[in-house]
Amino acid sequence: MDLLITGADSDSMPMTKLYRNDGDWLFSESPSNIINLINSSVDCKDYNHDGFPDIIIEGDDGTNRVTKIYKNLNGEFIDIGRPFTNTNFGSVKWLDFDNDGEMDFVQSGLKGEPFHSGPTCIMYAEVTSLQFYHNDGNDAFSLSSEKTHSQAYGRSSISVGDVDNDGGDDVAVSGTPGIGRCIVGINWEVGYIDEMFMSSPRLYKNQGNGIFSDMEADIPRCFTWGSHDYCVFGEFISYSIKLGDFNNDGLLDILRTGNGGYGFPSTLYINKLPAINNPPSIPTGLTTEIISNGVTLSWNNSSDDHTSSNNLVYRIYLRDTANMYQVSKVNLDF
């Protein structure tokens, strides 16, 4: 597994670097033509089924906001040159939101500069973004008409996973909601009229066919800990959020961290949904064909009670008499 890093370098300049895994915990920088960005986010998935992970990246180059997709052509990354909403201070994630077996993506962030409605009021409503792009094939993506989400986010983080085990990619998003903020008092020290920070992180359920709905999960927007009251101003901004099964019960939980106003707390929320997802059927009809020094494997599609056959992932193992070695994990379309 190689490594891609983007953000600010030691001189606070935009940076994107690709490091090749040389083994034995050693990495070497690999030259690439990927744009240098700051206030950025990146994600890697094979969106065109050629066996190579591709890159989506957003951020700014110090002057302009940028969102780009780079296609991996045998280790060389090529800008596909498609127009997207340009954002920074946000997040981009690959996901298959309509279960068609193709990698779509979701993005959040700021698509413009907040404007001041007064000397101490900053308004974000028109410049925040939470939107989905559909993979149309042949390196083409189109902005989805999905509008069921209730809140756009500026300085934000996104995590993707099947929260309710129904086979669809759900979306967790957190950060600064796109409303606004006014500060009252002398030198901004008295208090807040704090609409911007009043929103909790959101979980959006994938209903299928590209439709998402707010799961209205009970995730507090703030909390108290000991003598510290993190709810005084409701501040919990610049989140990072991550879905993961932290207690190994088969359900994705939520870990979030960020600026809590009076500190930088991290909180873990355990998934208590009663969802059940049965294992897929065992593949049948396995055949092998040896050609020269290679072998071609084929089998019939498995079926699953939640996930479509085209989205099932198969792992291929090479076994000898002493050990088992995993060769690859593949997502196959038949």
Side-chain angles (χ1 to χ4, degrees):
M1 189 69 69
D2 305 310
L3 179 65
L4 180 65
I5 299 175
T6 181
D9 65 13
S10 58
D11 296 318
S12 299
M13 298 298 295
M15 174 198 72
T16 303
K17 291 185 179 294
L18 179 64
Y19 291 89
R20 184 180 303 277
N21 187 343
D22 298 323
D24 295 326
W25 304 96
L26 298 175
F27 289 81
S28 58
E29 186 175 346
S30 179
S32 77
N33 61 347
I34 303 171
I35 189 170
N36 291 318
L37 295 180
I38 197 171
N39 307 315
S40 48
S41 174
V42 67
D43 197 24
C44 302
K45 284 286 178 65
D46 180 14
Y47 78 83
N48 55 359
H49 303 291
D50 64 356
F52 295 96
D54 309 298
I55 292 171
I56 183 169
I57 188 170
E58 70 158 13
D60 65 80
D61 59 8
T63 303
N64 299 308
R65 293 175 175 83
V66 174
T67 302
K68 288 181 178 291
I69 289 178
Y70 289 88
K71 179 167 56 175
N72 186 343
L73 295 179
N74 198 24
E76 181 181 1
F77 291 94
I78 306 298
D79 183 356
I80 66 172
R82 301 290 184 175
F84 305 111
T85 301
N86 294 318
T87 52
N88 64 349
F89 288 107
S91 187
V92 284
K93 292 292 180 184
W94 294 104
L95 80 166
D96 180 11
F97 69 73
D98 55 357
N99 291 326
D100 65 352
E102 303 294 333
M103 281 290 105
D104 316 301
F105 72 88
V106 57
Q107 72 173 145
S108 66
L110 293 176
K111 57 185 177 182
E113 290 297 324
F115 69 92
H116 290 258
S117 63
T120 60
C121 290
I122 305 173
M123 307 306 292
Y124 286 81
E126 301 301 322
V127 298
T128 54
S129 172
L130 177 61
Q131 55 193 19
F132 298 80
Y133 278 86
H134 182 265
N135 184 345
D136 299 325
N138 297 319
D139 298 338
F141 292 81
S142 59
L143 182 62
S144 171
S145 60
E146 201 293 301
K147 298 295 182 183
T148 57
H149 46 76
S150 60
Q151 193 85 69
Y153 285 79
R155 299 172 181 266
S156 51
S157 174
I158 290 175
S159 188
V160 172
D162 187 3
V163 174
D164 53 0
N165 280 345
D166 67 351
D169 285 333
D170 307 308
V171 174
V173 60
S174 62
T176 304
I179 303 175
R181 176 189 188 189
C182 294
I183 304 177
V184 296
I186 300 174
N187 295 326
W188 293 23
E189 292 180 352
V190 174
Y192 292 80
I193 303 172
D194 212 355
E195 292 281 339
M196 187 175 70
F197 299 138
M198 300 301 285
S199 179
S200 300
R202 292 292 207 276
L203 277 177
Y204 293 105
K205 175 181 173 59
N206 188 342
Q207 302 282 6
N209 298 321
I211 303 300
F212 286 81
S213 61
D214 193 336
M215 296 179 69
E216 299 182 357
D218 184 18
I219 307 173
R221 65 175 176 84
C222 55
F223 64 92
T224 58
W225 180 56
S227 61
H228 299 281
D229 186 356
Y230 292 96
C231 293
V232 171
F233 296 120
E235 292 190 12
F236 220 141
I237 61 175
S238 301
Y239 284 135
S240 179
I241 193 167
K242 182 65 176 179
L243 296 171
D245 184 8
F246 295 96
N247 56 354
N248 291 322
D249 65 351
L251 296 172
L252 294 180
D253 311 302
I254 298 174
L255 177 66
R256 68 169 180 174
T257 186
N259 182 350
Y262 291 105
F264 304 94
S266 297
T267 50
L268 176 64
Y269 299 93
I270 301 299
N271 188 342
K272 297 297 185 179
L273 292 174
I276 298 175
N277 190 356
N278 295 316
S281 64
I282 297 174
T284 61
L286 177 63
T287 62
T288 60
E289 181 181 3
I290 297 176
I291 302 175
S292 183
N293 61 347
V295 58
T296 299
L297 304 178
S298 60
W299 57 87
N300 298 324
N301 265 351
S302 296
S303 60
D304 186 77
D305 57 347
H306 289 93
T307 306
S308 66
S309 294
N310 284 341
N311 279 346
L312 290 176
V313 175
Y314 302 86
R315 285 180 170 86
I316 300 173
Y317 294 86
L318 176 66
R319 186 194 301 265
D320 61 20
T321 57
N323 297 293
M324 178 185 291
Y325 303 96
Q326 181 176 330
V327 177
S328 64
K329 181 177 72 172
V330 292
N331 191 343
L332 300 175
D333 297 324
F334 291 88

